[in-house]
Amino acid sequence: MSQAREFDVVIWGASGFTGRLVAEYLYKKYGVDQEVKWAMAGRNQTKLERVRDQVADREVPLILADSHDEASLLEMSGRTKVICTTVGPYGKYGSKLVAACVAQKTDYCDLCGEVPWMRQMIDQHHETARANGTKIVHTCGFDSIPSDMGVYFVQKEAMAQTGQPAQEINMRVRSFSGGVSGGTLASLSDSVEKAYKDKEQFRTLIDPYGLNPTDYRSGPDGRDLQAVVYDEASDGWIYPFIMAGINTKVVRRSNALAGFPYGRNFRYDEATMSGPGVSGRLKGIAAAVPLGIVAGAKPGSLLKKTIDAVLPKPGEGPSQSARENGYYNLRFYTTLADGSKALGKVTGDMDPGYGSTAKMMGEAAVCLAQDELPETAGVLTPAVAMGDALLHRLETNAGLTFDYQAD
Ligand SMILES: NC(=O)c1ccc[n+]([C@@H]2O[C@H](COP(=O)([O-])OP(=O)(O)OC[C@H]3O[C@@H](n4cnc5c(N)ncnc54)[C@H](OP(=O)(O)O)[C@@H]3O)[C@@H](O)[C@H]2O)c1
């Protein structure tokens, strides 16, 4: 994005649970109208003003735009270098905004984890965005920045050490603390409901290469883990990681879009560690069963309605203390080209879904607006869109650490 624009970044959805956290982060980190020119946007002036008073100050400009009003989306995206959107479910509210950003050549980032919708955006907009130089970047939160940038980092280290990319990485969530928002649950429900109704969407959801460019939709990886199993890589029991279905596809898309720097036969998977021995196995089962029930409950069923009644509603999410006391610790068990082992680590200093996500999202948006970036365009991944510049911002500003040690 090279044209002069009034703003660097506009946060659309700033009145929602996560959008307000991104606004609060930008305000605390960059102030108003200084190094970063930014604005808050949403569909309701009164609500926006109230949130602005709570997290920033009256100097922050406000913009009104509604997902059903294309003219408002075109107008908003024409005023800024980057649109940073937290208006979800994206499959419900996001398509016209992506089209508007591509039409206006405005770079874009979101927190989407809805695989079938991202597939649609790739099919509809990748070629046009690639040709006109626009970066459309989904998954700029906990899914999938730590995974995508973690693999990017580990592969860089492996290349520097051995001259060849690692042949396999098994990402394991060692520990984490955090909660979930109503908006995230609404997005999960929307994805599951659509997959129930539409076989094509279901196929995309379960296809390990469901986000790859059309010509590269096969490879050595199979479906994500569905059970509690013993894991040689981490020498303990593991169970399914709820974000694996998104993150693994994003990492594979990064590899394909960049021309396979990790190799054509690169293998990647994700799971959550529950520890060694009988207690590790039991812990895995105790964690996996409720996860399966929440994620897989049939839309419209009594079970689904009961679950929805007790979980957070749109606009609600984890408390400030849960966010501030949260963290995550990810391990990247790595097999190098010569068969030897290495270990990558990525940590975050707040809860994954909101505190850390708000910082990652804010930094991704500023990175798109201001940094020297790879000359890539299209519907991209964080690693392919921003590469080293994002890595630097995550370590310097967003509370993430990246570490690599050979055995
Ligand atoms: N990937 C990750 O790590 C991650 C982490 C957190 C969140 N997320 C995703 O981020 C999204 C937002 O989550 P959340 O918890 O912040 O949700 P939320 O609190 O429900 O906020 C949704 C926002 O969308 C706005 N909105 C709804 N309909 C709109 C429309 N027609 N036009 C314009 N704006 C509209 C709402 O405006 P009003 O305030 O006016 O209602 C609100 O600002 C979800 O899709 C969630 O899955 C992802």
Side-chain angles (χ1 to χ4, degrees), residues 66-372:
D66 192 295
S67 72
H68 305 296
D69 177 355
E70 281 178 67
S72 71
L73 300 175
L74 276 166
E75 208 263 336
M76 173 175 71
S77 48
R79 294 173 67 182
T80 182
K81 291 180 184 169
V82 176
I83 291 279
C84 166
T85 167
T86 59
V87 174
Y90 293 92
K92 255 187 183 162
Y93 304 123
S95 301
K96 288 178 182 160
L97 178 66
V98 175
C101 285
V102 175
Q104 297 282 31
K105 300 184 192 168
T106 299
D107 292 338
Y108 162 107
C109 58
D110 71 22
L111 293 177
C112 185
E114 298 155 41
V115 168
W117 181 72
M118 292 191 275
R119 180 74 250 168
Q120 278 174 26
M121 294 303 101
I122 291 166
D123 294 340
Q124 288 171 18
H125 299 294
H126 179 71
E127 281 312 319
T128 315
R130 195 179 60 75
N132 78 9
T134 308
K135 290 180 192 274
I136 303 294
V137 194
H138 302 304
T139 63
C140 288
F142 182 59
D143 45 307
S144 301
I145 280 184
S147 300
D148 194 32
M149 296 307 296
V151 171
Y152 175 84
F153 166 80
V154 167
Q155 286 289 20
K156 267 183 66 152
E157 295 292 318
M159 280 297 290
Q161 188 196 327
T162 67
Q164 286 179 280
Q167 55 178 270
E168 179 164 357
I169 298 178
N170 312 112
M171 193 284 262
R172 302 290 177 251
V173 181
R174 185 183 164 92
S175 56
F176 71 97
S177 167
V180 70
S181 75
T184 296
L185 292 166
S187 297
L188 179 65
S189 297
D190 196 57
S191 275
V192 171
E193 197 175 328
K194 284 180 177 147
Y196 262 98
K197 284 186 189 150
D198 181 334
K199 283 206 174 90
E200 188 52 39
Q201 297 213 7
F202 178 71
R203 272 195 289 273
T204 305
L205 210 55
I206 62 167
D207 176 355
Y209 296 89
L211 293 180
N212 268 34
T214 318
D215 293 344
Y216 303 111
R217 287 189 68 170
S218 62
D221 283 324
R223 281 189 65 182
D224 302 308
L225 182 68
Q226 304 288 311
V228 179
V229 298
Y230 180 77
D231 176 41
E232 282 185 10
S234 59
D235 196 16
W237 291 85
I238 55 173
Y239 62 94
F241 175 42
I242 194 157
M243 303 301 184
I246 305 156
N247 296 337
T248 56
K249 293 180 184 63
V250 171
V251 167
R252 291 174 197 126
R253 180 167 176 79
S254 285
N255 191 26
L257 282 179
F260 296 97
Y262 312 156
R264 291 254 181 188
N265 291 318
F266 174 61
R267 298 180 67 109
Y268 182 69
D269 67 14
E270 296 192 346
T272 310
M273 296 164 72
S274 55
V278 177
S279 71
R281 186 176 191 181
L282 292 176
K283 242 173 88 183
I285 294 168
V289 169
L291 209 64
I293 293 173
V294 171
K298 192 171 178 196
S301 65
L302 183 61
L303 175 63
K304 175 73 177 132
K305 285 178 188 156
T306 312
I307 292 169
D308 287 349
V310 296
L311 290 175
K313 308 286 170 289
E316 299 172 359
S319 67
Q320 185 173 351
S321 79
R323 296 194 304 270
E324 285 173 358
N325 294 318
Y327 64 90
Y328 50 94
N329 186 342
L330 313 179
R331 297 284 157 100
F332 293 73
Y333 292 93
T334 301
T335 306
L336 297 168
D338 64 2
S340 64
K341 304 288 181 186
L343 181 63
K345 292 181 193 168
V346 176
T347 66
D349 66 350
M350 291 180 80
D351 79 301
Y354 303 93
S356 182
T357 282
K359 295 197 279 186
M360 289 189 270
M361 172 75 153
E363 289 299 329
V366 176
C367 182
L368 283 171
Q370 296 193 338
D371 290 353
E372 198 70 43

